[in-house]
Amino acid sequence: MLKYISRRLLYMLISLYLIVTATFFLMRLAPGNPFTSEKQLPPDIQANLNAHYGLDQPWYVQYGEYLLKVVQWDFGPSFKYKARSVNDLISDGFPVSLTLGVEAILIAVAFGILLGVIAALKHNKWQDYGAMIIAVMGISVPSFIMATILQYFLAIKLGIFPVARWETFMHSILPALALASSPMAFIARLTRSSMLEVLSNDYIKTAKAKGLSQGVITIKHTIRNAMLPVVSYMGPLSAGIITGSFVIEKIFGIPGLGSHFVLSIANRDYTVIMGVTVFYSIILLLSILLVDIAYGFIDPRIKLAGRKKGE
């Protein structure tokens, strides 16, 4: 296990280096600069700003300094937020995005597995058809469309939830539901197909022949083995939900990291764009690593370190 984790950490560092490098050069190749606006700056002020932020140095000097700062966990100052660094924006906004993301993940996993299990146990019955209709709708409707639908019916028409803002727990329910709708549907379909495959195995038929109840068979034998595809989806899901909250945060007026990222694109705030991209890349890589490690605990038959030669 330790050998596998060490090897994966090395791959993560290589991947992260490539991401940092690609992000740096893409920002440098983008047209304009962080100080481009409708009002043209005088040349002297433009030169002073470039000198202050080190933009007047050769690209290889800027690249080397940026790599050194990333290693030191310093993403530099923001070009648009006065007297604030990218680290400050991440520290302020990420806890909000994380809270929203965790709530959406819990909703997606809980209801997705529930719908998938019901659909599999009631295969080709109205429960199965109903669960799959919900799943198809969840996959077909984008999260930002779902957000407006929930706002209109549950907030404006019925007045059950607040329309927007981020103040109490009630303010988090609608954005979490909108964010969880698509992954919940995908988990439901994964769980259903995996459950149907497991239910057709011989050991399930043997358990039924021994007189075990449906509940015992489902909980002890079926669900655990059927969860492997869902677990493999959890890594990209976790990072995808947290990073996918950008648009949702903007719709609901949530002061998370996503709102800063969207605003930084409009403002050409390159340091914020690069810092947030690298930060979320680290989350994605760590999520995938944790999922791979969890595989070994869920199903001991999976050998993370690989088989020896001759086996």
Side-chain angles (χ1 to χ4, degrees):
M1 178 68 76
L2 291 177
K3 181 180 178 181
Y4 170 79
I5 294 176
S6 301
R7 187 169 65 249
R8 287 302 305 271
L9 288 174
L10 177 61
Y11 294 156
M12 285 175 55
L13 291 176
I14 296 174
S15 300
L16 186 60
Y17 168 74
L18 296 176
I19 292 171
V20 171
T21 301
T23 305
F24 176 85
F25 286 106
L26 285 175
M27 289 297 98
R28 290 300 179 272
L29 293 174
N33 61 68
F35 313 112
T36 301
S37 61
E38 295 181 359
K39 184 178 179 180
Q40 188 68 27
L41 291 176
D44 293 341
I45 296 179
Q46 180 77 47
N48 290 335
L49 288 172
N50 289 334
H52 177 74
Y53 290 104
L55 299 178
D56 59 340
Q57 298 177 354
W59 66 267
Y60 50 85
V61 176
Q62 298 182 44
Y63 175 62
E65 291 181 351
Y66 186 70
L67 286 179
L68 181 61
K69 287 182 178 180
V70 170
V71 172
Q72 298 173 347
W73 198 251
D74 179 12
F75 295 114
S78 170
F79 291 137
K80 297 297 181 180
Y81 292 92
K82 295 182 179 179
R84 301 204 68 187
S85 66
V86 179
N87 294 63
D88 294 334
L89 297 177
I90 293 176
S91 299
D92 293 342
F94 181 67
V96 177
S97 298
L98 181 62
T99 302
L100 176 61
V102 169
E103 188 174 340
I105 290 172
L106 293 176
I107 294 174
V109 172
F111 288 97
I113 292 177
L114 179 62
L115 288 174
V117 170
I118 292 174
L121 294 179
K122 303 295 183 180
H123 184 49
N124 287 334
K125 297 182 180 179
W126 68 267
Q127 295 94 331
D128 183 15
Y129 300 141
M132 288 303 98
I133 288 174
I134 296 174
V136 171
M137 290 178 60
I139 294 176
S140 303
V141 180
S143 59
F144 61 90
I145 299 295
M146 183 64 70
T148 56
I149 294 174
L150 293 175
Q151 281 180 324
Y152 180 75
F153 286 103
L154 298 183
I156 297 176
K157 286 294 185 181
L158 300 179
I160 301 176
F161 300 102
V163 177
R165 307 305 300 167
W166 184 264
E167 298 173 1
T168 64
F169 175 73
M170 295 295 290
H171 288 82
S172 68
I173 295 178
L174 287 187
L177 287 174
L179 198 56
S181 60
S182 182
M184 178 185 68
F186 195 79
I187 290 175
R189 292 174 63 88
L190 274 179
T191 304
R192 176 183 180 273
S193 60
S194 184
M195 283 277 294
L196 290 175
E197 182 180 353
V198 172
L199 287 171
S200 64
N201 289 335
D202 292 337
Y203 67 88
I204 298 296
K205 298 176 182 178
T206 303
K208 291 180 179 180
K210 289 181 178 181
L212 295 180
S213 64
Q214 184 65 51
V216 173
I217 294 174
T218 301
I219 296 174
K220 288 189 174 182
H221 300 284
T222 309
I223 291 182
R224 181 177 180 179
N225 294 323
M227 286 300 100
L228 286 177
V230 177
V231 172
S232 66
Y233 179 59
M234 285 301 298
L237 168 68
S238 302
I241 279 186
I242 296 175
T243 56
S245 65
F246 291 172
V247 177
I248 298 298
E249 289 179 12
K250 200 68 177 176
I251 292 174
F252 286 93
I254 299 174
L257 189 56
S259 59
H260 293 314
F261 185 78
V262 173
L263 190 60
S264 66
I265 295 176
N267 291 334
R268 300 172 184 262
D269 199 343
Y270 293 164
T271 52
V272 175
I273 297 174
M274 291 189 293
V276 174
T277 301
V278 172
F279 180 72
Y280 276 126
S281 299
I282 294 173
I283 293 177
L284 176 60
L285 294 172
L286 288 176
S287 300
I288 295 174
L289 175 63
L290 293 176
V291 167
D292 290 341
I293 295 174
Y295 256 71
F297 293 99
I298 294 175
D299 191 347
R301 296 172 298 176
I302 298 177
K303 304 297 183 182
L304 296 177
R307 295 182 178 181
K308 295 180 180 180
K309 293 183 178 180
E311 293 184 352

